[in-house]
Amino acid sequence: MLVFGLVTKLSAQQQNYLTVSGNKLFDVQGKEVRLTGVNWFGFETQNYFPHGIWSRDMKSVLQQIKDLGFNTIRVPWANEMLNPGSTIAINSYGSDPYTGVSPMNEEETKVTKPIELMDIFVKWCQENDMKIVLDNHSRAADGFLNEKFWYTPEYSEERWIQDWVFLADRYKEYSAVVAMDLNNEPHGSSWGNSNPATDWNKAAERCGNAVLQANPNVLIIIEGVGEFEGNSYWWGGQLMGARKYPIQLSDPSKLMYSAHEYGPEVAQQDWFTASDFPQNMPGIWKDNFHYLYEEGTSPLFVGEFGIKDQDAFGGISYTWFTEFTDFMGDIYSWTFWSMNPNSGDTGGILQDDWTSVNQWKLDVLKPHFAPLIPNVVGGTGNQAPNATFSASPTQGITPLTVQFDASASSDPDGDTLTFSWDFGDGDVATGSMISHLFTGVGEYQVTLTVSDGSLNDTYVTTITVVDTTTPTVTADITVDNTSGIAPATINFDASGSISSDGSALTYNWDFGDGTTGIGSIVAHEYSIAGNYRITLTASNANGISDEAIIDVVITQPSTGGDCNFGAPLATALPTISNASYTKVHVLGNGGPDLSNVTNFTINWDLVNNGLWQFSMNTSNGVPSWWNNFLPKISQNFNAAQPEITITDSGFPNLDGSYWATLDQNNFVLVSKTVGFTIYFSNSATAPACQDAAPAANLNVETFNNPVQDRLVIQGQGLSKGTTISLINISGVVMKTMQIQSNSKEVELNTSNLESGMYFVKINYEKQVSTLRIIKK
């Protein structure tokens, strides 16, 4: 495991922490500063890493955030990511479309723990003068909507405080981590002096003082609640209680209050439809939080505010956005929600391709940007050493002798290094090459500290020592097919799974479509086309378990009336070398006008898993040519389901995301979100097919959209045999169900879905209705 070291703070390299005085924020040199940044979420989700790095290099996104003019990143995280069993696996491949770095995430792919990835994140920000606000968004991954307090039955207040102290200590020498937002939107909590189980202000004092004891320099950010003495406001935005019951910290100069503020896209409120909107808003803001600034109590940090659509609610949303940013002006600190495009409520600064920028959002924010805040002042130029070592072996049976070699450690200034070891079992040693004997069973965190006499760096790895009597479990899956045409029955066999002590196993299956099963040999029917990831958990009587995973691809049967031509594909496209087409047919509704296109050329390069030439000529020269696809055309590099995203094409209604597929010798682009297909061929005759359309008896609609824990579908035609599937924006079926009796209402559980856009597909006989929903 790779963990970066913590640099010792010396007067020669003073860390630039921030301090509160009245309603202003100052750096260590007494200069007034503001935090003006953006949220980048993901550590608080079940991924345990910032979203988007499946198609972007993490450091490239950080560089783009800095280049756009932000000086701060608010980083949501969940306590669950610090659990010993929480792991990550980052892929290193491809070239980043912003910086061009290739392969992407080369350093990130070497770590397996979420905290190790956060270390890399923090180190980049430290070295590049970006500030970080760590935001404890939830206890459980994706649990923020359901957690009313700062604790849950699974995560006690003690655990919550311990985790904060752990992070405060871990990053105490890195002024990039400038502030700690103790709890996101404690909306069910009270604010007062009456109930220790619900009073958020008192819990914040207990946690804040513990954090300051570990790191006296970091800012403590305290959000509001949802209701105070009958007055309700946005979750996190209700700070009226701070006047009557102010937060008492051991160091008042480290306290900063924080509010959240949103427009009607998150939830419609009475004040947005009032006759005096938007003139009524400054008074509302003053009552709920701005009074803290006016009365000189505290500077204000708006941790979340955002907008998705300029035209939402007849322009009310955009009016609120511009009025609020002007109200904050050059006195507030803030972080916009969010950098991510996959926020269901607000979208992001980035568009859905995770690279292009929603410029209109930046145009509103930019006049209120504050300058970068350096992380180090008064430096002498001495650079920290780089610690690293190899260990062999890293696991084995007790007693275990391990050879450690730190000779690859280096110092950029050429200084002489010293080496100190802590083997995690109570023993220590010095020297660059060490042999150590582990006699006990367990996992040992071995830490090397390298020093140049002034600055330090550390490197950590884990040595696992087991007892020969400890049984192990190995899960194994075999299948009769890994693909089929819906409806398809796949037979799964786990009888090859074993327990090293010969004990009996239990078998639990997750079929990837929202259903589960038990038994060593099972058969499961998939009625909906899609990609399914099947997970087997085999466990013995001692509670030791192992997982095995296999993927199954189910395709839709040909009906003769399908204009999707099999997309998304079950197998990769064959190589198309300089394929050229002279005719183009746009099938369905809502597509672009390509009547002036005279030919279309594509070259598909399987080695690079993507399009490297994609061009069209037009008869009138408007637009005359597109070529060299980046940044106008990008791919998800999924060879099994080829997909492209087109931007800035010059053709109205052409920009968007498509599945790419072949129909015999013809090339087909199937829109992922709009009901049309572009069919390139050399035939002047359009293919015979008709678009799937809602039948008259499939008059259905969804409720609670955006949804939280459940989705209700109501309407005529929810007959026995109707199949309902929930599909994400990548075409993967997340849930599926079949109605067993005629009904006018059905319900889907959506509590375990991540935030984002999904499609509800309702199939009855040969009729299809597709509805779009947003998960908050």
Side-chain angles (χ1 to χ4, degrees):
M1 295 188 298
L2 175 65
V3 179
F4 74 94
L6 302 183
V7 179
T8 302
K9 182 174 67 175
L10 301 173
S11 59
Q13 195 173 48
Q14 186 178 16
Q15 294 296 311
N16 195 14
Y17 283 101
L18 306 183
T19 299
V20 168
S21 179
N23 59 11
K24 299 183 184 302
L25 201 57
F26 297 90
D27 69 5
V28 294
Q29 296 178 308
K31 178 182 177 181
E32 184 179 352
V33 296
R34 288 188 302 120
L35 306 173
T36 55
V38 66
N39 287 266
W40 186 12
F41 64 79
F43 277 112
E44 85 288 8
T45 71
Q46 295 178 25
N47 298 100
Y48 306 135
F49 57 74
H51 282 187
I53 63 174
W54 47 73
S55 61
R56 289 290 305 275
D57 179 85
M58 187 176 76
K59 298 186 189 72
S60 176
V61 178
L62 292 172
Q63 184 64 53
Q64 188 173 14
I65 292 173
K66 179 179 180 181
D67 292 346
L68 290 173
F70 299 107
N71 68 14
T72 303
I73 307 173
R74 184 171 180 259
V75 182
W77 65 279
N79 296 81
E80 183 177 314
M81 67 166 269
L82 298 180
N83 289 348
S86 297
T87 60
I88 56 174
I90 309 298
N91 294 323
S92 178
Y93 70 96
S95 299
D96 187 271
Y98 184 75
T99 61
V101 62
S102 180
M104 297 185 292
N105 298 311
E106 189 172 16
E107 181 183 10
E108 290 80 355
T109 193
K110 299 175 183 177
V111 300
T112 60
K113 297 290 185 182
I115 187 62
E116 297 169 338
L117 186 66
M118 185 176 282
D119 290 339
I120 297 173
F121 192 110
V122 168
K123 187 174 183 181
W124 188 96
C125 290
Q126 178 71 25
E127 295 172 348
N128 290 273
D129 291 329
M130 291 293 289
K131 292 297 187 185
I132 294 173
V133 174
L134 290 180
D135 152 47
N136 190 201
H137 215 69
S138 61
R139 309 300 80 75
D142 294 314
F144 62 98
L145 286 176
N146 303 318
E147 298 175 358
K148 298 180 179 181
F149 306 107
W150 58 94
Y151 62 91
T152 68
E154 295 78 17
Y155 295 88
S156 65
E157 176 179 307
E158 181 181 11
R159 165 68 190 273
W160 171 62
I161 294 176
Q162 286 176 348
D163 286 349
W164 264 126
V165 170
F166 166 77
L167 290 176
D169 182 72
R170 190 179 188 89
Y171 300 130
K172 64 184 178 182
E173 306 298 344
Y174 281 68
S175 62
V177 183
V178 74
M180 294 184 168
D181 190 341
L182 296 187
N183 191 69
N184 184 71
E185 300 180 348
H187 54 279
S189 304
S190 56
W191 191 299
N193 290 327
S194 58
N195 190 343
T198 64
D199 278 348
W200 161 236
N201 57 310
K202 289 300 180 182
E205 290 175 3
R206 293 190 291 271
C207 183
N209 286 328
V211 169
L212 288 176
Q213 188 172 357
N215 180 359
N217 297 307
V218 73
L219 291 173
I220 303 298
I221 291 180
I222 309 297
E223 294 183 28
V225 291
E227 185 271 342
F228 177 73
E229 296 185 348
N231 297 292
S232 297
Y233 200 59
W234 293 112
W235 291 358
Q238 175 50 273
L239 280 165
M240 288 183 177
R243 175 184 279 129
K244 189 174 182 180
Y245 305 105
I247 298 291
Q248 303 291 326
L249 292 182
S250 58
D251 184 353
S253 71
K254 294 300 178 181
L255 170 64
M256 191 174 188
Y257 288 100
S258 174
H260 289 185
E261 172 71 20
Y262 281 106
E265 289 173 298
V266 172
Q268 179 62 278
Q269 306 288 354
D270 293 341
W271 48 82
F272 296 128
T273 56
S275 60
D276 57 345
F277 176 83
Q279 287 76 25
N280 60 332
M281 296 308 301
I284 293 173
W285 295 326
K286 177 181 177 180
D287 290 343
N288 285 286
F289 50 81
H290 185 66
Y291 77 91
L292 291 164
Y293 180 87
E294 282 192 332
E295 295 173 8
T297 303
S298 169
L300 283 171
F301 173 73
V302 178
E304 292 182 21
F305 70 107
I307 181 175
K308 189 171 188 177
D309 185 355
Q310 285 178 284
D311 300 320
F313 292 85
I316 291 176
S317 185
Y318 187 74
T319 298
W320 160 83
F321 180 43
T322 55
E323 289 288 330
F324 185 60
T325 52
D326 288 341
F327 179 83
M328 291 190 295
D330 61 355
I331 61 175
Y332 275 38
S333 290
W334 48 261
T335 47
F336 182 84
W337 187 276
S338 61
M339 191 67 176
N340 310 48
N342 60 330
S343 171
D345 289 327
T346 66
I349 293 296
L350 295 182
Q351 299 182 24
D352 289 342
D353 62 359
W354 283 95
T355 304
S356 305
V357 172
N358 284 305
Q359 189 59 45
W360 64 270
K361 296 185 182 183
L362 282 176
D363 289 343
V364 176
L365 296 173
K366 275 187 174 181
H368 309 292
F369 280 176
L372 289 176
I373 305 172
N375 286 324
V376 175
V377 294
T380 63
N382 182 40
Q383 300 180 68
N386 299 310
T388 187
F389 65 83
S390 62
S392 180
T394 58
Q395 58 183 355
I397 299 170
T398 183
L400 181 67
T401 298
V402 180
Q403 305 294 330
F404 297 96
D405 183 353
S407 59
S409 300
S410 61
D411 186 87
D413 305 310
D415 296 334
T416 301
L417 300 178
T418 59
F419 304 83
S420 300
W421 299 86
D422 181 339
F423 298 108
D425 60 356
D427 289 345
V428 296
T430 59
S432 63
M433 301 180 70
I434 294 292
S435 176
H436 185 70
L437 175 66
F438 294 90
T439 58
V441 174
E443 287 190 347
Y444 298 96
Q445 300 291 315
V446 178
T447 303
L448 165 69
T449 301
V450 175
S451 175
D452 65 0
S454 296
L455 301 179
N456 300 336
D457 191 27
T458 60
Y459 189 91
V460 178
T461 197
T462 299
I463 303 298
T464 303
V465 184
V466 299
D467 192 327
T468 55
T469 61
T470 303
T472 59
V473 172
T474 303
D476 179 71
I477 303 175
T478 59
V479 294
D480 57 348
N481 282 295
T482 57
S483 63
I485 300 175
T489 298
I490 306 296
N491 295 298
F492 300 96
D493 187 348
S495 58
S497 305
I498 60 172
S499 180
S500 62
D501 61 357
S503 62
L505 296 174
T506 58
Y507 307 89
N508 290 280
W509 298 86
D510 181 339
F511 295 114
D513 59 357
T515 64
T516 59
I518 59 174
S520 62
I521 300 176
V522 294
H524 187 69
E525 181 180 286
Y526 294 93
S527 59
I528 302 296
N531 286 359
Y532 299 93
R533 172 153 289 187
I534 295 86
T535 303
L536 163 70
T537 303
S539 306
N540 66 11
N542 296 317
I544 299 173
S545 63
D546 186 38
E547 285 188 353
I549 295 174
I550 194 168
D551 293 322
V552 170
V553 178
I554 305 299
T555 55
Q556 198 77 298
S558 176
T559 63
D562 179 18
C563 284
N564 288 348
F565 304 98
L569 288 180
T571 58
L573 285 176
T575 300
I576 306 172
S577 180
N578 296 321
S580 183
Y581 305 98
T582 59
K583 304 296 180 182
V584 57
H585 308 284
V586 180
L587 313 173
N589 300 315
D593 180 4
L594 301 180
S595 59
N596 65 333
V597 174
T598 58
N599 70 346
F600 166 84
T601 302
I602 180 174
N603 195 316
W604 186 274
D605 179 11
L606 283 181
V607 175
N608 292 324
N609 295 323
L611 298 168
W612 64 269
Q613 186 185 60
F614 189 98
S615 59
M616 291 201 303
N617 289 334
T618 57
S619 58
N620 59 1
V622 181
S624 61
W625 177 262
W626 10 292
N627 204 347
N628 299 326
F629 61 86
L630 288 176
K632 295 182 179 178
I633 302 173
S634 59
Q635 301 79 39
N636 69 355
F637 298 100
N638 183 347
Q641 290 188 350
E643 175 190 355
I644 68 170
T645 299
I646 301 173
T647 57
D648 301 327
S649 65
F651 289 88
N653 302 327
L654 180 59
D655 291 357
S657 296
Y658 298 84
W659 295 119
T661 184
L662 286 177
D663 173 47
Q664 296 178 349
N665 295 321
N666 306 301
F667 188 73
V668 186
L669 296 179
V670 180
S671 173
K672 292 178 61 179
T673 57
V674 186
F676 69 88
T677 296
I678 306 175
Y679 192 95
F680 296 98
S681 73
N682 289 311
S683 171
T685 304
C689 69
Q690 64 183 43
D691 298 314
N697 64 339
L698 274 184
N699 183 19
V700 295
E701 58 183 340
T702 59
F703 288 88
N704 300 326
N705 192 10
V707 302
Q708 293 188 7
D709 294 337
R710 66 189 187 102
L711 171 69
V712 177
I713 304 170
Q714 289 185 346
Q716 300 296 322
L718 297 176
S719 307
K720 179 180 180 181
T722 299
T723 300
I724 300 175
S725 55
L726 191 63
I727 304 170
N728 69 14
I729 60 174
S730 297
V732 177
V733 177
M734 308 300 294
K735 293 177 179 289
T736 184
M737 65 176 292
Q738 191 171 62
I739 298 177
Q740 301 303 314
S741 60
N742 293 344
S743 174
K744 291 186 178 180
E745 179 177 297
V746 294
E747 183 177 307
L748 283 176
N749 182 356
T750 56
S751 61
N752 60 345
L753 294 180
E754 295 184 4
S755 300
M757 183 173 68
Y758 296 85
F759 298 94
V760 180
K761 193 172 185 179
I762 304 169
N763 295 67
Y764 180 65
E765 295 180 345
K766 292 187 178 181
Q767 304 301 326
V768 178
S769 179
T770 302
L771 308 171
R772 186 179 71 170
I773 66 168
I774 300 297
K775 171 64 189 300
K776 187 178 187 300

